[in-house]
Amino acid sequence: MLNFKIETRLIEAALRVLSDADPSLLKIRPCPNPKFGDFQTTGLMPLAKRRGLNPREVAEEVIRNLDVSQYCSRVEVAGPGFLNFHVKKEAIEEVVSEAARGEHIFSPKAEEPKTIVIDFSSPNVAKPMHVGHIRSTILGDCLARLFRFLGHKVITDNHIGDWGTQFGKLIVGWKTRLDTQRLENDPVGEMERIYREINSECERAPSILESARGELVKLQNNDPENIGIWRRMIELSRHQFESTYHRLGVEFDHMLGESFYNSRLNNVIAELQSADVVRESRGALVAFFDEDPILKEHPAIVRKSDGAANYTTTDLATLDYRVREWGADKIVYVTDSRQQLHFRQIFKIFEAWRREVETEMVHVWFGSILGEDGKPFKTRSGEVVRLSELLDEAEERAQCVVEEKNPGLTDNEKERISRIVGIGAIKYADLLPNRQSDYQFSWDKMLALNGNTAPYLLYAYARIRSIFRKSGDASAGELGARDGGAARITLATPEEVALARQLSCFGMTLEAVAEDYRPNYLCNYIYELAGFFTQFYEKCPVLKAEPEIRRARLRLCGVTAEVLKTGLEILGLEVPEQM
RNA sequence: GCGCUCGUAGCUCAGUUGGAUAGAGCAGCGGACUUCUAAUCCGCAGGUCGCAGGUUCGAAUCCUGCCGAGCGUGCCA
């Protein structure tokens, strides 16, 4: 809030000096070193440079047009043209007090809420969910939570793989070698098994492949029996999806799979033809991108030579539906890096097809998860790791730690904490690295009690809650608590000021995350916040302090807990009251 | 061949329009518990940011070339 107020004034002043300045360049951010001040902007330097002006002179001129005396004790030009803001302690006290009164949590709501569709997770029917789905699911869910928090209308859609050639083989397997007992016990495992068997048999027995094709055609022609089997497979798979999503705390507004768009594909193809964005080539219908240097060599097929549509067609139909039916201002796809080319293609085709549409299309891609040997993450026997088993292990490992560190808890508490810590550790480890890098999966690192990990952060939160339990006043730290709510929190020590200053940066961090779709900024912010809190915790007694200081510190703790909790919840983590 | 991404401390990783002295954690060394939970904290040590040029007041970040890795590249998704 504080920073946004200063930013607004800065932009006004800069526009008075340079009327055509781009306000988006004039962000303020924390100084890299406190000796320079509290906040700074570097944006005036490129602004001056482009106009051939002296950056220091421009900065001086902006200062002359700038009145932030309400918030700052000093604003100065430094080096080649940095503008450094030294914030008044009273201004920080005020913004933290506002938060303590429940007026805001350092983050303004979007002025123009947008409708944002987020497409993520997208597992396949009849296959187990595995580690390959985890990043999309966790990252997508986090982005959905973030944009909702920022005040946008978010629509999450799970575009499950419920159609395609694999169903021919699956139906053959279902009809000829289904083990109903196994299906009862482990439906997805059984579907996976029959698929594998048929798939390997197809390689040596052409007759099986032939019958798979036959079953696929029957399915496509609405044969009642095959449709029934197909529906049953989807239903069984959905149960598995739901149980995994429930454990992860992930929910979807829609689960419109590929099959949902079947009836629209022919129409899409016809429209693409009349819009002149595709043409016949080698028997297929193909979109070419002659004018695009990158896509020039990579045409996209929208109808195969056998007449069938493919995933490009389905994705175009999906885009069209989301724009038409939901009025999406923005559509975000969260998938792995290997699909970059595909999304470039469909975005390009869609732009050419629906020229009037202004929907922003974003591909938020991520790298892969590697094992500790640096190779793709697999089990010891080389199988893909099932997501459900991964979650089991996370909870088990967390339980061992809880058992060791806090044996006095009840079984119920231990179980709850293990779940929060275990699942939280998986999620946090996934969100912490820059999404575009591959990262090494490591149980020891994600469950470490030190460093930038879920247990460390959850512990910081639990410690604050512990203070409140011992304070004898349950509402002592609650935001908006009436007791002392009107009085301004006074910050007496450098640790308190540093903590409060960090709290005030919450909103600008969220803004940066939303801008780049990078939750790791938020992870780092929360880790730093926990660090500032710990320094405060070491140096500044709360419960033993004099009544007035005690009350102020309790309220500062309350705001800290709230920001920690809110930040962690945006990441998709739950927080424990104790650990 | 072409394209995308990457190469930062012994290891795993950060590094927000180019911005001030490149940061964490682990591992190593040395300290701090009759505590508001030590599941913690403090200190020390550790880097020619793959290599070579270029642009700039300023480059880990932008451009060019080279070396190395992963992925993708017309009928899978």
Side-chain angles (χ1 to χ4, degrees):
Chain A
M1 287 298 168
L2 182 54
N3 60 294
F4 293 112
K5 287 175 179 165
I6 297 173
E7 205 168 271
T8 305
R9 300 268 172 101
L10 169 67
I11 289 167
E12 286 165 4
L15 287 173
R16 276 195 282 274
V17 177
L18 301 167
S19 57
D20 59 341
D22 176 3
S24 70
L25 290 175
L26 293 164
K27 299 279 182 199
I28 67 169
R29 59 183 178 215
C31 288
N33 186 326
K35 81 177 183 193
F36 298 127
D38 295 293
F39 297 110
Q40 71 173 197
T41 183
T42 57
L44 293 174
M45 290 180 276
L47 232 44
K49 189 175 189 171
R50 260 174 242 173
R51 291 165 179 76
L53 302 170
N54 179 322
R56 282 194 65 105
E57 282 169 15
V58 171
E60 298 284 2
E61 191 59 29
V62 169
I63 288 181
R64 274 192 286 279
N65 281 275
L66 178 67
D67 180 13
V68 286
S69 56
Q70 191 185 344
Y71 314 115
C72 298
S73 56
R74 203 148 48 94
V75 183
E76 60 196 7
V77 180
F82 294 94
L83 212 54
N84 290 330
F85 297 86
H86 298 261
V87 170
K88 286 179 177 170
K89 197 176 79 172
E90 293 74 22
I92 296 181
E93 290 173 343
E94 182 55 35
V95 72
V96 174
S97 303
E98 288 163 6
R101 282 183 236 123
E103 290 172 20
H104 61 67
I105 183 160
F106 310 104
S107 174
K109 296 291 171 205
E111 285 167 21
E112 298 170 26
K114 291 185 172 164
T115 299
I116 303 176
V117 176
I118 306 186
D119 177 314
F120 64 100
S121 199
S122 309
N124 290 316
V125 163
K127 288 185 190 163
M129 287 185 79
H130 55 84
V131 282
H133 298 109
I134 199 172
R135 282 197 102 170
S136 175
T137 306
I138 290 172
L139 186 53
D141 180 55
C142 170
L143 294 175
R145 289 166 184 267
L146 172 71
F147 284 111
R148 278 203 182 106
F149 180 82
L150 292 176
H152 297 287
K153 182 187 172 194
V154 171
I155 300 174
T156 53
D157 186 11
N158 194 356
H159 193 67
I160 58 173
D162 62 358
W163 196 252
T165 49
Q166 73 271 26
F167 283 98
K169 290 173 185 171
L170 279 162
I171 289 171
V172 172
W174 186 282
K175 285 181 175 173
T176 60
R177 60 191 66 205
L178 189 69
D179 182 327
T180 50
Q181 191 56 51
R182 285 192 193 180
L183 190 71
E184 184 88 11
N185 298 335
D186 178 12
V188 173
E190 175 61 4
M191 289 189 281
E192 188 192 26
R193 185 187 69 83
I194 60 175
Y195 177 78
R196 277 194 189 167
E197 283 192 18
I198 299 298
N199 196 36
S200 60
E201 276 182 40
C202 281
E203 283 171 24
R204 28 175 216 275
S207 63
I208 306 265
L209 189 60
E210 213 38 57
S211 59
R213 284 194 186 125
E215 298 294 357
L216 181 65
V217 170
K218 279 165 74 183
L219 177 68
Q220 286 165 340
N221 292 329
N222 290 319
D223 171 77
E225 188 189 5
N226 282 11
I227 290 282
I229 294 171
W230 171 69
R231 288 215 173 107
R232 181 94 179 103
M233 289 193 279
I234 292 175
E235 190 194 333
L236 291 169
S237 297
R238 276 190 181 230
H239 287 152
Q240 178 228 198
F241 299 158
E242 296 299 346
S243 114
T244 301
Y245 292 134
H246 180 72
R247 292 181 73 181
L248 287 171
V250 173
E251 289 175 9
F252 291 92
D253 300 312
H254 299 280
M255 207 178 277
L256 302 181
E258 294 170 0
S259 67
F260 178 79
Y261 299 95
N262 281 348
S263 60
R264 300 161 190 272
L265 298 179
N266 285 337
N267 193 38
V268 168
I269 290 170
E271 287 193 27
L272 290 170
Q273 282 175 308
S274 57
D276 211 21
V277 299
V278 292
R279 66 170 188 260
E280 291 271 339
S281 169
R282 298 182 213 169
L285 201 56
V286 184
F288 291 92
F289 312 92
D290 298 328
E291 74 300 339
D292 186 306
I294 292 171
L295 293 182
K296 204 171 168 178
E297 309 291 324
H298 303 286
I301 290 171
V302 301
R303 193 183 63 203
K304 300 189 282 182
S305 51
D306 67 1
N310 64 4
Y311 69 116
T312 299
T313 331
T314 311
D315 275 351
L316 287 167
T318 307
L319 259 177
D320 188 50
Y321 181 86
R322 290 169 176 170
V323 170
R324 274 185 210 277
E325 298 295 320
W326 296 338
D329 297 306
K330 187 199 297 244
I331 302 177
V332 179
Y333 289 89
V334 186
T335 85
D336 68 84
S337 62
R338 291 176 300 212
Q339 298 194 41
Q340 286 176 85
L341 183 58
H342 169 67
F343 283 104
R344 273 184 198 242
Q345 289 174 332
I346 64 162
F347 293 169
K348 202 87 187 171
I349 295 173
F350 190 74
E351 281 164 8
W353 167 29
R354 302 283 310 275
R355 289 172 186 277
E356 76 288 359
V357 172
E358 288 176 355
T359 303
E360 184 189 359
M361 296 172 281
V362 188
H363 182 210
V364 173
W365 57 268
F366 52 84
S368 31
I369 305 182
L370 308 175
E372 301 202 42
D373 55 2
K375 288 186 241 162
F377 191 37
K378 296 273 171 62
T379 62
R380 278 173 295 280
S381 54
E383 307 272 300
V384 293
V385 180
R386 279 208 191 191
L387 194 42
S388 58
E389 286 164 13
L390 192 79
L391 300 183
D392 291 342
E393 184 164 356
E395 290 182 15
E396 280 161 24
R397 284 175 182 261
Q399 184 134 27
C400 291
V401 182
V402 174
E403 206 67 63
E404 181 196 327
K405 296 292 180 182
N406 211 342
L409 297 169
T410 68
D411 285 354
N412 252 346
E413 287 163 345
K414 282 180 193 165
E415 199 177 317
R416 178 175 161 77
I417 293 166
S418 313
R419 184 176 58 75
I420 292 175
V421 172
I423 302 293
I426 295 258
K427 288 189 174 192
Y428 194 79
D430 203 67
L431 294 168
L432 178 63
N434 180 324
R435 64 179 162 80
Q436 293 183 328
S437 7
D438 295 346
Y439 78 91
Q440 275 192 27
F441 188 94
S442 160
W443 288 117
D444 290 342
K445 288 201 172 86
M446 75 173 72
L447 285 165
L449 311 164
N450 259 317
N452 198 348
T453 67
Y456 176 83
L457 300 173
L458 298 176
Y459 178 59
Y461 179 79
R463 270 176 144 184
I464 303 179
R465 300 306 303 160
S466 170
I467 293 175
F468 289 127
R469 274 195 301 279
K470 296 208 167 150
S471 72
D473 176 3
S475 70
E478 270 176 38
L479 302 193
R482 248 167 283 164
D483 176 28
R488 180 195 279 170
I489 295 173
T490 48
L491 304 169
T493 64
E495 288 79 14
E496 290 166 274
V497 175
L499 174 58
R501 198 187 78 122
Q502 175 74 4
L503 288 167
S504 79
C505 295
F506 185 50
M508 60 197 284
T509 305
L510 297 181
E511 211 177 51
V513 176
E515 180 78 20
D516 291 345
Y517 311 93
R518 290 188 194 279
N520 64 309
Y521 296 160
L522 180 54
C523 295
N524 288 328
Y525 168 84
I526 296 172
Y527 179 56
E528 281 169 18
L529 176 60
F532 283 113
F533 173 74
T534 310
Q535 282 171 29
F536 159 82
Y537 183 89
E538 297 280 326
K539 295 262 176 60
C540 306
V542 177
L543 298 179
K544 290 174 190 159
E546 297 300 312
E548 202 155 319
I549 296 180
R550 177 188 145 117
R551 198 164 68 220
R553 287 184 178 166
L554 271 172
R555 291 170 67 210
L556 184 59
C557 285
V559 178
T560 305
E562 200 59 28
V563 172
L564 277 174
K565 180 170 184 246
T566 306
L568 288 166
E569 283 176 350
I570 288 172
L571 295 174
L573 276 74
E574 287 182 71
V575 290
E577 288 300 300
Q578 54 181 329
M579 277 176 77

